[in-house]
Amino acid sequence: MRAFTEARDEHTPDEIWLCEHAPVYTQGVAGKAEHVLDAHGIPVVQTNRGGQVTYHGPGQVVAYPLIDLRRLGIFVKEYVFRLENAVLRTLERHGVTGHRVRGAPGIYVRLADPFGHARLSEDEQRSFAGLGKIAALGVKVSQHRTYHGVALNVAMDLSPFDGINPCGYAGLATVDLAKIGVSTDWDSAARMLGDHLAAQFAR
C-alpha cells in the first residue's frame, strides 16, 4: 500500500483492495504497548496508520481503499464518514443496524437488539454500554492519498480480541456477523462491502 501510494501520480486510478489476513495484531502510530494484554504468540506489527491496537484474522474482510482525496474533492473527515457509510450500508443489507459513536471511529451494534432501529442513548455513546464493535477503522493519508482502511468482522474466532484493549478501549466487546445471527460467507461480504465502498468513492 505504501509503495503504491508513493509511486502513484495524479493520473493513477484509485483502487480498493479486499483481503483476509493471517492472525496478526496491528498497532497504530500512537499505539500503547499496555493495550496488548496477552498476545498468545500472535505477532504484533507496528504500522503507520492512525488508532490503537486491533486484530486481523481469518473470517474478517479487510478493505484498503487507495483513494486520491484531492481528485475526489473531499477531506479526511468526509473520507472517514464515507468509509463508515459503506459499512453501515453493508450491515443494512443484512438487516443489521450499525451505529457510530462520537469520538470512537468504527461501527458498533447494540448487542441486545442488533436489528432494532432505536438511536443510541447518551449513556451508550459515553460508556459503550451494551455495544459491540463490528468494524474497525484505521487510516493513513499521504499527500492527499489514502491507505490502510476498514475491517469488517464476518465469521471469525473472536477470542484474540480478549488479548487486547480493542482500539484502546478496555472491556470493549467485539462481535461479528455470525455472533449476532447473520449467516454469510467471506466472499459475499467482501463483494458487498467492496461494492458499497466503490459507490461511496465514485466520481
Side-chain angles (χ1 to χ4, degrees):
M1 289 183 294
R2 186 183 301 183
F4 175 89
T5 301
E6 290 174 353
R8 67 183 300 184
D9 60 27
E10 65 273 18
H11 305 296
T12 306
D14 292 337
E15 297 186 3
I16 297 172
W17 297 359
L18 300 168
C19 61
E20 186 177 28
H21 288 301
V24 63
Y25 293 119
T26 63
Q27 278 277 32
V29 288
K32 298 179 180 178
E34 59 263 33
H35 290 311
V36 180
L37 308 175
D38 190 342
H40 291 291
I42 296 172
V44 180
V45 175
Q46 189 68 41
T47 74
N48 66 344
R49 63 163 172 77
Q52 296 283 333
V53 65
T54 194
Y55 170 73
H56 298 305
Q60 179 190 65
V61 177
V62 184
Y64 296 129
L66 307 172
I67 307 296
D68 188 323
L69 299 182
R70 178 180 286 164
R71 185 166 60 205
L72 195 60
I74 64 174
F75 296 100
V76 176
K77 186 175 181 180
E78 173 67 16
Y79 172 70
V80 170
F81 183 83
R82 294 191 191 190
L83 274 184
E84 292 178 334
N85 265 355
V87 175
L88 290 170
R89 294 184 181 190
T90 300
L91 294 177
E92 190 178 90
R93 290 280 297 275
H94 294 289
V96 176
T97 300
H99 300 273
R100 292 181 172 95
V101 171
R102 286 190 301 274
I107 297 298
Y108 304 78
V109 295
R110 188 178 274 116
L111 297 175
D113 187 16
F115 306 101
H117 301 299
R119 296 181 66 175
L120 297 184
S121 68
E122 284 299 317
D123 183 57
E124 288 171 315
Q125 289 270 351
R126 260 192 322 271
S127 66
F128 302 103
L131 301 182
K133 192 165 194 174
I134 198 165
L137 271 71
V139 303
K140 174 70 176 179
V141 180
S142 176
Q143 297 188 351
H144 308 284
R145 292 159 184 153
T146 69
Y147 58 110
H148 294 291
V150 60
L152 172 64
N153 303 334
V154 179
M156 59 191 302
D157 175 8
L158 294 168
S159 63
F161 286 103
D162 295 335
I164 59 174
N165 292 327
C167 303
Y169 295 101
L172 176 62
T174 305
V175 296
D176 59 12
L177 286 170
K179 187 166 184 177
I180 59 175
V182 174
S183 178
T184 189
D185 58 77
W186 189 94
D187 288 341
S188 298
R191 189 178 310 112
M192 191 177 296
L193 178 59
D195 287 347
H196 284 300
L197 286 167
Q200 289 292 317
F201 299 118
R203 293 175 62 197

